[in-house]
Amino acid sequence: MTCAEAKQLPILEVCDKLGAKRAFVSVSKGYALFHAPYREDRHPSLKLCLKTNRWTDLATGQFGDVIDLVKETMTMTTSAALAFLAGGVTPCKPFAPIKNRKSLAD
């Protein structure tokens, strides 16, 4: 899968694949709110723009496309994120905030 192909994947489906918790979706208004899957997020602050297929973290100011979201959530390289999006990589479960993740050495 190329970067251009990955950027065409619906960001809503990518968030679901990442295990992000939905809070609000309004297709007619063109956006959705999720709890950020890459950090502790008590109040939904991950805003998805369904029209541009991009995301913004309203609490931290981070933003990007579907590749950036996978890289941030899974802490992986672009090539690994592309493999994940193509279905070649399965996510670890559950998606705990980074501070609660165990290192590979544990």
Side-chain angles (χ1 to χ4, degrees), residues 76-98:
M76 49 175 52
T77 63
T78 300
S79 59
L82 292 173
F84 170 78
L85 290 168
V89 176
T90 55
C92 299
K93 58 179 189 174
F95 284 100
I98 291 174

Side-chain angles (χ1 to χ4, degrees), residues 1-9 53 65-67 78 82 85:
M1 172 173 287
T2 66
C3 287
E5 291 170 336
K7 290 178 183 182
Q8 297 303 312
L9 297 173
N53 213 38
D65 56 34
V66 294
I67 299 169
T78 300
L82 292 173
L85 290 168

Side-chain angles (χ1 to χ4, degrees), residues 11-23 32-48 55-60 62 65-75 84 91-101:
I11 197 162
L12 202 56
E13 292 178 24
V14 172
C15 272
D16 287 337
K17 186 173 182 177
L18 289 170
K21 183 179 173 188
R22 285 186 186 208
L33 287 174
F34 279 73
H35 292 272
Y38 48 84
R39 63 177 179 80
E40 194 169 324
D41 191 13
R42 291 180 51 195
H43 305 285
S45 61
L46 184 68
K47 184 176 181 180
L48 309 181
W55 61 276
T56 302
D57 189 322
L58 301 174
T60 67
Q62 293 173 277
D65 56 34
V66 294
I67 299 169
D68 297 320
L69 183 59
V70 171
K71 286 171 56 176
E72 181 67 29
T73 301
M74 308 276 299
T75 316
F84 170 78
C92 299
K93 58 179 189 174
F95 284 100
I98 291 174
K99 72 177 189 176
N100 293 334
R101 289 185 186 165

Side-chain angles (χ1 to χ4, degrees), residues 11-12 25-27 30-32 48-54:
I11 197 162
L12 202 56
V25 177
S26 175
V27 176
Y31 77 95
L48 309 181
C49 180
L50 305 178
K51 294 176 184 176
T52 63
N53 213 38
R54 295 183 63 82

